[in-house]
Amino acid sequence: MERKRYAIFSAQFLPHIGGVEFYTDNLARELARRGHEVVVVASAMPDAPEYEVTESGVEVFRLPSFQLIGGRMPVPRRNGSFRRMLNEVSSRSYDGILVNTRFYLHSLVGLKMAKRLGLCPVLCEHGSAYLTFGNALLDKAVVAYEHMITALVKRYSPDAYAVSGKGIAWLHTFGIQAKGLLSNSIDADAFVAQASSRDFRAELGVARDALLVSFVGRLAPEKGVASLLEAMSVLEKEGVAALLVMAGDGPLRGMVEQCGLENVKFVGPLDRGDVAALQLQADAFCLPSRSEGFSTALLEAASCGVAPVATDVGGVREIVADDSCGIVLANASPDSIAQALRLLASDRTYTRQCAKRCAARVRDRFSWAHTADAFIEACERARR
């Protein structure tokens, strides 16, 4: 097989935790495993080196940046170090350049470099709705910003793709016609194998007959955290045997810690091994988000044999194809969430069937080998 070189621009990358970060890391790993040379260009962050070579052989350049909005919006800091590092990256030839997401200024850096090197960049959309920060005025400004920066992105005429069908439809909002899917995926066996020995049921005193519901993700308004807590309050008053274990961090952490509900346990941010252990012990996973690209947390939960309950956003319908695989909520209201969890708690046979079918679907359809094949084809198509 011919050895090729690819660059992946991702505004945020590990050790920062998020879906796009894991997507970039896993795609880079798969390409490197096949013998290709991979360069990841990300934004600098505290306690991360500006340059490193990962254990899988992937080179990572972290360009100087300003971390705005609590680190959610990195902005390139165009100083001498920035220019030096970018010159090093752009001094090489590439067989393809991938730019993850269109709404970061960092993305424009990747698009501009591709144009300078005479390449048509591949742009991958990871969202399916406008960014939201839970603040009406800020969210209104974000809408205007997204349209402005997307207009700049379109000047570089990238070949556009998305991680989900919803993402492809979302690009139409900006007058962009996508060429196909570059789906989020998972190495299910590897994820399950890394599970720690932590016993959450024993640690938290979960009753044997209780439905253990997991939530793993950013504790932010767009994730439906408030509605989920309200739904658990309803179930607690009804005496439904269900317990919610919430893992993560974010601006609503205080709300979770102080909710005062006996059927909600907060375990803070977890490492990958503990996340896998939690999902292997859970009966259901709840994701009542207002917006998702293609949830990594949902893929992880499904691969562990957990029945999913999620809103119809991002790639949810591609994982939960019908009600034999889980429950897709009509909306993220507390009543909808409570109704779904009430059903799973009362019909454990149905819960187990959903978990089994969804796990089989994820393992069959969402592998990094498939995504890497699609990416390589996208790069070859862009060069024609």
Side-chain angles (χ1 to χ4, degrees):
M1 180 181 65
E2 180 185 357
R3 179 179 172 86
K4 297 183 178 181
R5 181 186 292 131
Y6 299 103
I8 303 177
F9 279 76
S10 180
Q12 295 175 317
F13 187 61
L14 304 179
H16 192 277
I17 301 300
V20 178
E21 293 88 325
F22 288 128
Y23 181 97
T24 301
D25 181 51
N26 283 299
L27 177 57
R29 284 173 179 269
E30 176 61 23
L31 293 170
R33 188 191 66 78
R34 298 183 181 196
H36 299 306
E37 185 177 339
V38 185
V39 176
V40 171
V41 185
S43 302
M45 59 180 300
D47 303 322
E50 69 172 23
Y51 173 80
E52 67 174 320
V53 179
T54 69
E55 60 181 17
S56 56
V58 175
E59 287 187 273
V60 181
F61 291 82
R62 294 185 177 88
L63 304 179
S65 66
F66 299 100
Q67 297 292 321
L68 304 183
I69 316 179
R72 294 187 67 185
M73 186 61 71
V75 174
R77 185 177 185 179
R78 298 176 181 274
N79 55 16
S81 180
F82 178 96
R83 289 188 290 273
R84 173 181 56 79
M85 295 175 70
L86 190 59
N87 285 339
E88 168 63 21
V89 173
S90 60
S91 67
R92 311 175 189 184
S93 61
Y94 295 92
D95 294 282
I97 294 178
L98 172 66
V99 176
N100 276 321
T101 73
R102 87 204 120 68
F103 48 74
Y104 290 113
L105 292 174
H106 181 89
S107 299
L108 295 178
V109 175
L111 295 170
K112 185 176 181 179
M113 188 185 94
K115 182 178 181 179
R116 188 166 63 248
L117 295 177
L119 291 173
C120 174
V122 174
L123 175 72
C124 188
E125 174 66 24
H126 287 258
S128 59
Y130 291 112
L131 285 172
T132 178
F133 295 93
N135 178 292
L137 289 177
L138 183 56
D139 286 351
K140 187 175 182 179
V142 166
V143 171
Y145 166 79
E146 282 209 45
H147 281 274
M148 177 192 71
I149 195 166
T150 303
L152 296 176
V153 165
K154 290 168 69 175
R155 292 182 181 180
Y156 294 94
S157 302
D159 278 3
Y161 291 77
V163 296
S164 69
K166 289 270 188 180
I168 288 177
W170 176 239
L171 285 174
H172 294 164
T173 305
F174 306 95
I176 298 175
Q177 184 68 41
K179 293 185 178 295
L181 286 171
L182 293 176
S183 296
N184 195 7
S185 294
I186 187 169
D187 184 336
D189 290 335
F191 180 72
V192 170
Q194 70 179 330
S196 71
S197 59
R198 189 170 176 181
D199 188 340
F200 286 93
R201 285 184 173 269
E203 180 181 320
L204 301 174
V206 183
R208 291 185 62 182
D209 64 339
L211 181 82
L212 196 162
V213 182
S214 62
F215 171 94
V216 178
R218 180 172 168 77
L219 303 177
E222 65 270 20
K223 297 296 184 180
V225 171
S227 292
L228 180 54
L229 291 176
E230 192 172 337
M232 293 308 297
S233 176
V234 170
L235 296 181
E236 184 174 84
K237 292 173 183 176
E238 294 176 354
V240 175
L243 184 136
L244 171 66
V245 179
M246 302 190 74
D249 203 354
L252 297 186
R253 177 170 179 159
M255 174 189 290
V256 175
E257 291 178 319
Q258 299 166 25
C259 70
L261 296 171
E262 292 294 325
N263 63 351
V264 175
K265 302 295 183 182
F266 178 60
V267 294
L270 300 179
D271 62 27
R272 308 302 295 155
D274 282 351
V275 169
L278 172 60
Q279 300 296 24
L280 285 169
Q281 296 165 49
D283 301 301
F285 172 74
C286 193
L287 185 74
S289 297
R290 295 203 301 261
S291 174
E292 289 284 344
F294 198 125
S295 173
T296 296
L298 181 56
L299 283 170
E300 292 172 348
S303 70
C304 289
V306 178
V309 175
T311 42
D312 188 8
V313 295
V316 167
R317 284 284 185 186
E318 288 157 57
I319 299 174
V320 190
D322 53 44
D323 58 10
S324 71
C325 294
I327 299 176
V328 178
L329 301 169
N331 54 62
S333 70
D335 286 344
S336 292
I337 299 169
Q339 181 179 357
L341 296 180
R342 193 183 295 116
L343 171 61
L344 295 182
S346 64
D347 190 344
R348 303 304 286 276
T349 298
Y350 172 65
T351 302
R352 288 190 292 271
Q353 288 175 345
C354 287
K356 183 178 180 179
R357 288 170 180 160
C358 195
R361 181 176 177 83
V362 165
R363 288 173 177 271
D364 180 57
R365 293 171 179 256
F366 301 104
S367 73
W368 285 111
H370 291 159
T371 301
D373 286 343
F375 168 68
I376 292 171
E377 171 58 29
C379 290
E380 292 176 352
R381 182 178 181 180
R383 292 173 65 90
R384 290 172 191 157

